[in-house]
């Protein structure tokens, strides 16, 4: 398996836009939090999250498909590639999420965007101290972060057999741990 340092170098080889890098860090952080929750390999889950949108900046019209090619070229194993590609199931590819790690990635990818937008609307533009009830309110408001697919998030939570509130809370916790890297530690 590649190290996080190697994975980060690969991510930055194909991505330079700040918002895409922050999204990758957010998904990585949430994947790590879920891995701890389930007693799984935090490093592996984190790297899957970090590289999930590897192709998006340069090849958005080939999203997930091009990532599979890039990961193969860089020596990643097929199970890793399947996990990364599965987050696009039904959207841009037909790789179905099956393992718990894949279901988590599928579920939280969109949710991290909602959490990021919610944090940026808070006083001080910080995720520190974000409460679940606040996020639930934003989730219910379809006009807020309107592009976030709430049905996908809710459906993913159902596939995980977890209450949506639990998925949200663990996601907030994961992103809070990475607040500095996400630019959500608050304004100084």
């Amino acid at each position: 398996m590649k190290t996080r340092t190697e994975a980060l170098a690969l991510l930055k080889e194909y991505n330079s836009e700040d918002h895409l890098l922050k999204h990758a860090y957010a998904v990585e952080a949430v994947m790590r939090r879920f891995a701890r929750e389930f007693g799984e390999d935090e490093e592996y889950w984190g790297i899957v999250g970090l590289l999930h949108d590897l192709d998006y900046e340069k090849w958005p019209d080939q999203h997930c498909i091009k990532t599979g090619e890039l990961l193969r070229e860089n020596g990643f194993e097929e199970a890793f590639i399947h996990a990364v590609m599965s987050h696009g199931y039904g959207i841009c590819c037909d790789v179905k999420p099956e393992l718990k790690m894949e279901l988590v990635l599928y579920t939280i990818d969109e949710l991290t965007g909602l959490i990021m937008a919610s944090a940026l609307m808070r006083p001080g533009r910080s995720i520190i101290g974000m409460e679940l009830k606040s996020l639930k309110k934003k989730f219910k408001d379809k006009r807020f972060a309107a592009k976030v697919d709430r049905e996908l998030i809710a459906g993913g939570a159902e596939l995980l057999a977890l209450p949506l509130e639990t998925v949200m809370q663990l996601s907030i916790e994961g992103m809070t741990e990475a607040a500095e890297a996400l630019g959500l530690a608050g304004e100084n």
Side-chain angles (χ1 to χ4, degrees):
M1 185 174 107
K2 305 281 185 188
T3 65
R4 184 186 188 277
T5 302
E6 292 168 321
L8 185 58
L10 183 62
L11 177 69
K12 289 183 175 182
E13 183 178 335
Y14 296 102
N15 292 271
S16 61
E17 293 182 26
D18 188 55
H19 74 281
L20 293 176
L21 293 172
K22 285 181 178 173
H23 174 66
Y25 303 151
V27 173
E28 174 192 19
V30 174
M31 290 296 289
R32 287 177 179 277
R33 178 63 188 92
F34 272 89
R36 281 197 311 280
E37 184 72 15
F38 296 135
E40 297 290 343
D41 184 341
E42 186 177 334
E43 191 71 4
Y44 189 82
W45 282 43
I47 293 172
V48 165
L50 186 66
L51 294 178
H52 82 286
D53 279 349
L54 181 62
D55 62 6
Y56 196 77
E57 183 174 325
K58 294 189 184 292
W59 301 279
D61 56 330
Q62 297 176 57
H63 183 43
C64 289
I65 306 305
K66 189 67 177 175
T67 291
E69 294 172 15
L70 295 171
L71 293 174
R72 278 185 195 91
E73 289 169 12
N74 283 277
F76 284 84
E77 62 186 41
E78 285 301 316
F80 184 96
I81 295 166
H82 185 278
V84 168
M85 290 179 66
S86 71
H87 84 278
Y89 180 67
I91 303 164
C92 57
C93 75
D94 60 0
V95 178
K96 187 175 183 177
E98 296 165 351
L99 303 175
K100 187 170 279 197
M101 173 182 55
E102 297 168 348
L103 292 169
V104 169
L105 179 61
Y106 177 79
T107 304
I108 61 96
D109 183 26
E110 291 274 312
L111 181 55
T112 61
L114 182 69
I115 295 170
M116 181 77 77
S118 298
L120 291 172
M121 295 302 294
R122 297 179 75 223
R125 300 171 58 87
S126 172
I127 192 168
I128 310 298
M130 180 183 282
E131 294 183 9
L132 177 60
K133 68 179 182 180
S134 170
L135 182 61
K136 286 172 61 177
K137 187 175 178 183
K138 297 290 189 195
F139 185 86
K140 289 178 185 172
D141 181 358
K142 303 279 194 268
R143 295 169 302 177
F144 180 80
K147 291 184 180 179
V148 171
D149 189 338
R150 288 152 169 84
E151 287 182 25
L152 186 149
I153 296 167
E158 210 171 287
L159 291 171
L160 279 166
L162 289 174
L164 180 58
E165 291 80 6
T166 301
V167 172
M168 289 177 161
Q169 183 62 47
L170 291 172
S171 297
I172 292 169
E173 290 171 14
M175 287 179 66
T176 299
E177 292 170 11
E180 196 72 43
L182 300 176
L184 298 177
E187 295 174 343
N188 296 325

